[in-house]
């Protein structure tokens, strides 16, 4: 997927996922919430976004 | 015992593991779809005591996925905790089942969890999950978070840093992040779809309930290091099964590091008032943010007639003929006289 964001936080904004609580994994590791604005994205990064679900 | 012979054959369980399972006491909070599925598996596995808590009654719309209930339960509007307990005793008369018809609140949760070894998540809302997370961290009980919506479900076991107050103990090096380490804040009311607005697939429930039950059994027999402790996403409809490694507890977590139990202390629990002279209950959530009324209108259009503007949304829920009005700050007026029913409907249709 082609994205234009530089940081993880910007990416969540670009994907309109920054207003719902979600866990974000970058290359197999969970990125702490507070680090999202500092994590710079590189070509080929594998990003997984998991949104919390409340049903059951 | 012949009943458990096939699982005793498994080298990881054996006679000793079966004995541990038989001496365990598990608290299942919420016996809706996930709670039914997990209770069914754990009763069959011979978990000595199951304490099942639920505030709701069985309805026809539950039967597609809530495996402990039948047509007669729905027609009689039987309390879920009682109907489930009766069915579980038929499945396995050797175990003890303790039904509790209660709304899980800060005032009663500690006595409900007090003598248990593990807490399983069968809930339908975020608020009570954060309350359970507080309890797990404060008392050192393992808590297996699970949730499902649409065709997708999540499971994540939580082994708090405070390390094991029941029969399951672990060193701090084996502790996992808590719910707030991974999801520091719950979604604001109305921002997420619920099973009643977005639907839920029966087989997804089966998959998620089986996964959380396997983790529970694995912990009960003492397979601490081998137990899968990732955040697991599963979607059997689309063939998706992913694990996310959650690493260590966060050093800045408000709950498991700083020990701020905001839900257990009551600071983040929604309050309710009956409005005098009207069959209306007002629910006020304790959230900082405002509700995205536009998103909420979209979610609610499957539930009934929706109208409103940028300040309030009103819906006439078709299924139960109840009018609900939701304001920008998350406050809601629910057209029923019973407070517990009002909370149930709020969690179902708004989601909190």
């Amino acid at each position: 997927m082609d994205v234009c964001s530089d940081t993880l936080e910007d990416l969540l904004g670009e994907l309109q996922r920054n207003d719902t609580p979600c866990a974000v994994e970058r290359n197999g590791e969970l990125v702490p919430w507070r680090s999202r604005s500092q994590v710079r994205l590189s070509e080929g990064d594998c990003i997984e976004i998991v949104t919390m679900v409340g049903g059951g | 015992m012949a009943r458990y012979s096939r699982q005793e054959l498994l080298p990881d369980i054996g006679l000793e593991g079966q004995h541990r399972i038989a001496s365990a006491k598990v608290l299942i909070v919420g016996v809706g779809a996930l709670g039914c599925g997990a209770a069914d598996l754990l009763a069959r596995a011979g978990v000595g005591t199951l304490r099942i808590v639920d505030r709701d009654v069985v309805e026809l719309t539950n039967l597609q996925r809530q495996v402990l209930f039948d047509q007669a339960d729905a027609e009689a509007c039987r309390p879920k905790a009682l109907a489930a307990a009766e069915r579980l005793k038929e499945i396995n008369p050797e175990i003890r089942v303790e039904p509790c018809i209660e709304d899980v609140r800060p005032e009663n949760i500690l006595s409900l969890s007090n003598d248990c070894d593990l807490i399983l998540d069968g809930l339908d809302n975020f608020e009570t999950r954060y309350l359970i997370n507080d309890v797990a961290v404060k008392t050192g009980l393992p808590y297996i978070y699970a949730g499902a919506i649409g065709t997708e479900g999540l499971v994540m076991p939580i082994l708090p840093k405070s390390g094991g107050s029941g029969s399951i103990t672990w060193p701090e090096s084996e502790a996992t992040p808590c719910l707030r380490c991974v999801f520091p804040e719950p979604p604001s009311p109305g921002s997420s779809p619920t099973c009643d607005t977005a639907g839920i697939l029966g087989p997804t429930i089966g998959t998620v309930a089986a996964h959380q039950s396997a983790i529970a059994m694995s912990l009960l027999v003492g397979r601490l290091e081998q137990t899968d402790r990732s955040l697991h996403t599963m979607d059997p409809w689309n063939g998706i099964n992913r694990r996310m490694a959650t690493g260590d507890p966060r050093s800045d977590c408000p709950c498991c590091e700083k020990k701020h139990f905001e839900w257990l202390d009551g600071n983040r629990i929604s309050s309710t008032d009956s409005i005098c002279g009207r069959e209306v209950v007002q629910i006020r959530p304790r959230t900082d943010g405002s509700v995205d009324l536009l998103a909420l209108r979209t979610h609610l259009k499957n539930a009934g007639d929706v109208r409103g503007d940028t300040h309030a949304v009103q819906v006439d829920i078709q299924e139960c003929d109840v009018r609900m009005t939701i304001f920008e700050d998350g406050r809601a007026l629910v057209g029923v006289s019973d407070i517990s029913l009002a909370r149930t409907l709020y969690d179902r249709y708004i989601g909190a």
Side-chain angles (χ1 to χ4, degrees), chain B residues 189-343:
Chain B
S191 65
S192 299
T194 70
C195 292
D196 294 82
T197 59
I200 175 73
L201 184 75
T204 292
I205 292 296
T207 308
V208 174
H211 194 77
Q212 65 176 152
S213 304
I215 291 174
M217 288 174 67
S218 178
L219 290 173
L220 290 176
V221 301
R223 292 175 77 243
L224 210 67
E225 284 165 29
Q226 299 97 317
T227 301
D228 177 16
R229 56 189 56 204
S230 53
L231 170 62
H232 213 116
T233 309
M234 49 206 86
D235 179 345
W237 194 249
N238 293 301
I240 293 168
N241 196 1
R242 286 197 201 105
R243 298 171 63 189
M244 182 184 278
T246 53
D248 294 322
R250 302 280 99 80
S251 56
D252 57 353
C253 175
C255 184
C256 72
E257 176 58 31
K258 296 182 180 159
K259 307 282 189 270
H260 296 160
F261 304 120
E262 296 170 45
W263 279 264
L264 186 58
D265 291 342
N267 301 328
R268 299 286 298 268
I269 292 283
S270 59
S271 60
T272 48
D273 314 282
S274 289
I275 296 193
C276 260
R278 288 172 65 194
E279 278 223 336
V280 172
V281 172
Q282 173 176 262
I283 300 188
R284 281 177 296 159
R286 298 277 180 88
T287 52
D288 300 333
S290 60
V291 170
D292 181 351
L293 292 178
L294 199 65
L296 185 61
R297 283 182 71 149
T298 315
H299 297 157
L300 286 174
K301 68 177 193 293
N302 291 331
D305 288 334
V306 186
R307 62 200 151 264
D309 55 18
T310 52
H311 302 294
V313 166
Q314 190 170 68
V315 57
D316 287 325
I317 301 165
Q318 204 171 15
E319 211 165 80
C320 52
D321 199 22
V322 170
R323 174 170 289 184
M324 205 185 287
T325 311
I326 305 97
F327 300 89
E328 241 179 330
D329 59 359
R331 191 169 55 86
L333 299 173
V334 187
V336 294
S337 51
D338 181 78
I339 285 180
S340 176
L341 176 62
R343 279 186 190 283

Side-chain angles (χ1 to χ4, degrees), chain A:
Chain A
M1 182 175 179
D2 287 327
V3 294
C4 37
S5 305
D6 290 331
T7 69
L8 206 48
E9 187 164 276
D10 292 345
L11 175 70
L12 292 173
E14 188 181 333
L15 300 175
Q16 296 180 337
R17 300 286 288 269
N18 52 357
D19 54 352
T20 43
C22 54
V24 181
E25 186 187 60
R26 176 172 170 257
N27 302 328
E29 269 188 50
L30 186 79
V31 180
W33 274 58
R34 282 165 203 268
S35 316
R36 287 180 184 175
S37 55
Q38 285 117 56
V39 172
R40 300 198 76 80
L41 299 174
S42 311
E43 189 72 35
D45 269 356
C46 184
I47 307 289
E48 286 271 0
I49 303 171
V50 177
T51 306
M52 189 181 181
V53 293

